Amino acid sequence: MAYEIEEQKKVGLGLIGFGIFFSVLGIILFFDRGLLALGNILWLAGVSLLLGWRSTLQLFTSRSNYKGSLSFFLGLFFIFVRWPVVGIILEIFGCVFIFGGFWPSVKVFLFQIPIIGWVLQYPVLLLDRLKSFG
């Protein structure tokens, strides 16, 4: 295999997946506070296992990420005090701010996945061809 993942990172990816699943389920079920809180806890635990405790702490306490971290944890607080809509909006803003630098790496990774990569690249290739005709 091209990429070997150790067991701790596999568990971290699983927790992130379950966290996203419970968060989406909580949003679909009219912002159910319990599911959203469970999704957030699983997601944070998964990120911590995937990156490591020290790297996660550095990611959230970095000077360049202070707006995103504050927004994310304020959103988490709002979910716990029964304002889930405001909390989710703040968390999404925080995640975009914190993980904004990772998007190019994620894009390259997704393009390398056999079926998903082709589906994601197809509109880009189509737009490039349309530009070359114009």
Side-chain angles (χ1 to χ4, degrees):
M1 284 202 61
Y3 300 104
E4 277 295 320
I5 300 176
E6 57 191 57
E7 292 299 318
Q8 181 177 346
K9 293 188 187 289
K10 287 180 185 178
V11 172
L13 283 172
L15 286 174
I16 288 172
F18 278 118
I20 291 171
F21 172 74
F22 281 118
S23 295
V24 168
L25 190 62
I27 291 170
I28 289 172
L29 294 173
F30 303 110
F31 293 96
D32 182 45
R33 192 177 64 109
L35 288 173
L36 291 173
L38 181 63
N40 284 323
I41 291 169
L42 290 174
W43 185 82
L44 278 173
V47 168
S48 297
L49 285 176
L50 185 65
L51 297 177
W53 296 105
R54 226 174 245 174
S55 297
T56 303
L57 187 62
Q58 287 175 351
L59 178 71
F60 281 106
T61 59
S62 170
R63 193 158 194 48
S64 62
N65 293 337
Y66 74 93
K67 287 181 187 176
S69 299
L70 181 67
S71 175
F72 180 80
F73 287 115
L74 193 62
L76 188 62
F77 172 75
F78 276 124
I79 286 176
F80 285 135
V81 295
R82 299 180 186 231
W83 286 32
V85 177
V86 175
I88 286 295
I89 291 170
L90 284 172
E91 282 185 356
I92 290 172
F93 176 75
C95 283
V96 167
F97 231 100
I98 290 172
F99 298 107
F102 292 110
W103 295 124
S105 301
V106 170
K107 185 177 88 169
V108 168
F109 174 73
L110 288 175
F111 282 171
Q112 292 177 352
I113 298 174
I115 295 171
I116 296 171
W118 183 82
V119 169
L120 292 176
Q121 286 178 354
Y122 186 72
V124 175
L125 295 173
L126 186 64
L127 288 175
D128 285 342
R129 285 202 179 158
L130 290 175
K131 278 188 199 177
S132 65
F133 287 126

